[in-house]
Amino acid sequence: MVTAKAASRDSDSDSDSGSTAPPLPEWLHAVAGSPATTPMESCSDVVAVIEEMDDARYATKPSLEHAQAVGHVPEPDGGYGWVVVFASFLANIVVVGLPSSFGVFQQAYQEVPEFAGSSNLVIAFVGSLSSTGIPLFSILAGRFCDTHGPRAAMLIGALFTLIGVVSASFATSIWHLHITQGFLFSIGVSFGYIPSIGILSNWFVKYRGLATGFAVSGAGAGGLAFGPLLRYLLSNVGWRWTLRIAGIGCAVLMLVAALLIRERVKVKTSARIDLSLFKDTLFLRVYAAIVCCSFAYFVPFYFVPLFSSQHGMTKEQGALLTGLLNGASGLGRILLGLSSDFLGPINMLVLCLTTSSLLLLLMWPFSTTFAVLATFVIIYGLFVGALFSLLPTVIAQLFGARGNISTVTGMVFNGFLFGYLLGSPIAGVMADRFTTWLPDGSKYIDFLPSILFPGVCFLLGSIIFSTVRWTAARGKLLVRI
């Protein structure tokens, strides 16, 4: 039933419909781009103006599809995205390349009077701490990146890199190195690495594997350069000035990377870190595989120089082998990243982890000459680099729909914490345990247990990733996944 009052209201509305609407406020006309003296014809004009205001206000907040629809972001897979790849490349030179070259320091610190009597375990713990930064602070760095942007996160990384490495040059005891070159530098590593990797899925879709491969190949390029360069500096200016030069140079590279990097579209973030992923069985398997692989990854990087010295090779040859290992790893990241765009990132990751484990178990123990050992590090480096070039792509493929990709990447990379912290020290304990002193006063280290340990860890990781592949492919064997 319509009341008389309501009918009167309807009648008034009908009688006014033909009259001219009063002019809107000047601020609304200014936003709409129409003169304040020109009245709008209907309420639909007001709605249109408000919708345009919403588009302008939230252009950096919504989903990628909406942002592209209103024309505020560039298309993916090109343009400035390749500048972002270059920025990520520079960051990886520092945050992975320098820690991967710790084997040169491992060898040098054994001869420094201030660190006399320090075991392989104690020295290796310095390198483990610096590498542990990526998983230890990964969730914090990822969350900071999602809320404040990758540039702010990488500037923090540059600052801690400078403080950590340079302050290590003033150490007078091995525990000073644990705090500086270990812990402080590790903060810089994490805040430099997570943003540089998480941002790539923001810029690339079709060529994500190739872009990620190019970006993380900076780790190999850095390792290739750092190995011989650090050895040269250690021989000519001493370990203290070597650390100062390395710290300043790395901080400059990180600063340049931070200034170049930017987001294509700012994705809306949740109010808190979503820990429900740790209830997802698929995520837990990925996490478990990463834990296994983390115990293995850095062992060859740290112990190849010592292994080469054990078999009569020079320090310069040991540093060259470290450089070759890092360089091959960088090349492998590009080639395998490109291959993953055609064959599938999960397929390639399983293949590469399996091959890496077999090389450790079947080839490294018998690489007792420089030529054979160089062949091993090159082939091994080509395949082992896939862990870091393919993993971000796998994360984006499996969990990217959740949003907050930097936070999710940080949660996955947190799985590296256990092995980064304990993997190389465990191998060091094995080396110390199987060290014998010969009658002529020299020592002999049986490296076989330290070699079998990472080989078995990689094998376990590849088996677990195979179950992830089986689930993602829904039981199909010949499928790109």
Side-chain angles (χ1 to χ4, degrees):
M1 177 181 292
V2 180
T3 64
K5 187 174 182 180
S8 174
R9 213 169 36 235
D10 292 341
S11 175
D12 292 341
S13 175
D14 291 339
S15 64
D16 291 341
S17 61
S19 62
T20 302
L24 294 173
E26 291 202 21
W27 67 268
L28 190 53
H29 280 286
V31 173
S34 57
T37 58
T38 303
M40 293 189 176
E41 295 182 356
S42 67
C43 292
S44 63
D45 295 322
V46 180
V47 174
V49 170
I50 294 174
E51 287 177 346
E52 288 179 13
M53 292 171 61
D54 285 340
D55 285 341
R57 181 180 178 185
Y58 294 107
T60 60
K61 293 291 183 182
S63 67
L64 177 59
E65 292 77 9
H66 176 70
Q68 287 178 333
V70 297
H72 291 284
V73 294
E75 291 295 321
D77 296 307
Y80 196 83
W82 293 111
V83 178
V84 174
V85 169
F86 177 68
S88 182
F89 176 89
L90 293 179
N92 274 267
I93 288 177
V94 176
V95 299
V96 182
L98 186 58
S100 296
S101 301
F102 184 78
V104 179
F105 286 110
Q106 173 93 18
Q107 194 175 27
Y109 287 157
Q110 291 182 329
E111 302 172 0
V112 173
E114 289 87 343
F115 312 138
S118 298
S119 65
N120 285 316
L121 168 63
V122 173
I123 296 175
F125 195 61
V126 178
S128 292
L129 280 174
S130 66
S131 303
T132 299
I134 292 179
L136 182 61
F137 302 105
S138 60
I139 298 178
L140 175 62
R143 180 61 180 169
F144 186 91
C145 179
D146 279 332
T147 54
H148 296 89
R151 179 173 296 169
M154 292 182 71
L155 287 173
I156 292 177
L159 177 62
F160 275 93
T161 296
L162 178 66
I163 294 173
V165 180
V166 173
S167 62
S169 67
F170 299 97
T172 57
S173 180
I174 192 68
W175 69 268
H176 296 164
L177 293 181
H178 291 150
I179 295 175
T180 54
Q181 190 178 2
F183 181 75
L184 291 178
F185 178 42
S186 73
I187 299 176
V189 166
S190 187
F191 274 79
Y193 183 79
I194 297 299
S196 70
I197 294 302
I199 191 65
L200 297 175
S201 63
N202 191 281
W203 282 92
F204 291 89
V205 179
K206 182 178 180 181
Y207 302 118
R208 185 177 292 165
L210 177 62
T212 305
F214 271 118
V216 299
S217 68
L224 179 62
F226 278 128
L229 178 60
L230 292 174
R231 183 70 260 169
Y232 173 82
L233 290 173
L234 286 166
S235 301
N236 289 274
V237 299
W239 67 276
R240 294 188 186 276
W241 272 105
T242 297
L243 286 168
R244 291 163 191 164
I245 293 171
I248 294 171
C250 289
V252 169
L253 288 177
M254 288 281 288
L255 179 61
V256 173
L259 294 177
L260 289 176
I261 207 163
R262 74 183 189 197
E263 294 171 289
R264 186 172 67 90
V265 56
K266 187 173 181 63
V267 181
K268 192 173 182 179
T269 59
S270 60
R272 59 187 178 83
I273 297 175
D274 182 12
L275 298 179
S276 64
L277 271 173
F278 286 102
K279 300 178 181 179
D280 185 333
T281 58
L282 185 65
F283 176 86
L284 290 176
R285 277 181 282 164
V286 172
Y287 192 88
I290 293 302
V291 170
C292 292
C293 294
S294 68
F295 280 89
Y297 182 79
F298 276 110
V299 172
F301 289 91
Y302 290 178
F303 287 93
V304 159
L306 285 175
F307 181 85
S308 66
S309 178
Q310 174 76 54
H311 293 281
M313 301 171 215
T314 65
K315 294 178 182 178
E316 288 70 24
Q317 287 177 316
L320 177 59
L321 288 167
T322 301
L324 289 174
L325 178 54
N326 282 285
S329 174
L331 179 60
R333 294 171 194 224
I334 297 175
L335 296 177
L336 296 171
L338 176 60
S339 300
S340 71
D341 287 330
F342 299 96
L343 302 177
I346 302 179
N347 291 336
M348 291 301 300
L349 185 57
V350 172
L351 172 64
C352 292
L353 291 179
T354 303
T355 304
S356 297
S357 67
L358 294 177
L359 287 168
L360 288 171
L361 295 172
L362 303 179
M363 187 173 181
W364 188 7
F366 308 103
S367 302
T368 55
T369 65
F370 179 77
V372 178
L373 189 55
T375 302
F376 161 74
V377 298
I378 291 173
I379 299 175
Y380 174 76
L382 287 171
F383 285 97
V384 78
L387 182 59
F388 288 99
S389 65
L390 299 179
L391 185 58
T393 308
V394 170
I395 294 171
Q397 179 173 330
L398 295 177
F399 310 110
R402 288 175 170 263
N404 294 344
I405 190 63
S406 291
T407 301
V408 176
T409 301
M411 292 169 70
V412 173
F413 272 82
N414 177 259
F416 283 105
L417 173 63
F418 310 99
Y420 273 22
L421 186 63
L422 300 174
S424 294
I426 289 174
V429 168
M430 292 179 176
D432 290 336
R433 172 65 180 80
F434 291 93
T435 297
T436 57
W437 293 93
L438 302 178
D440 61 0
S442 61
K443 66 177 180 179
Y444 175 81
I445 303 174
D446 183 1
F447 281 97
L448 185 60
S450 300
I451 293 173
L452 297 180
F453 168 64
V456 172
C457 290
F458 264 140
L459 187 59
L460 288 175
S462 68
I463 292 173
I464 298 174
F465 260 121
S466 296
T467 69
V468 172
R469 185 216 172 274
W470 182 264
T471 300
R474 299 185 180 182
K476 297 179 182 178
L477 292 176
L478 301 178
V479 62
R480 177 188 175 278
I481 187 69

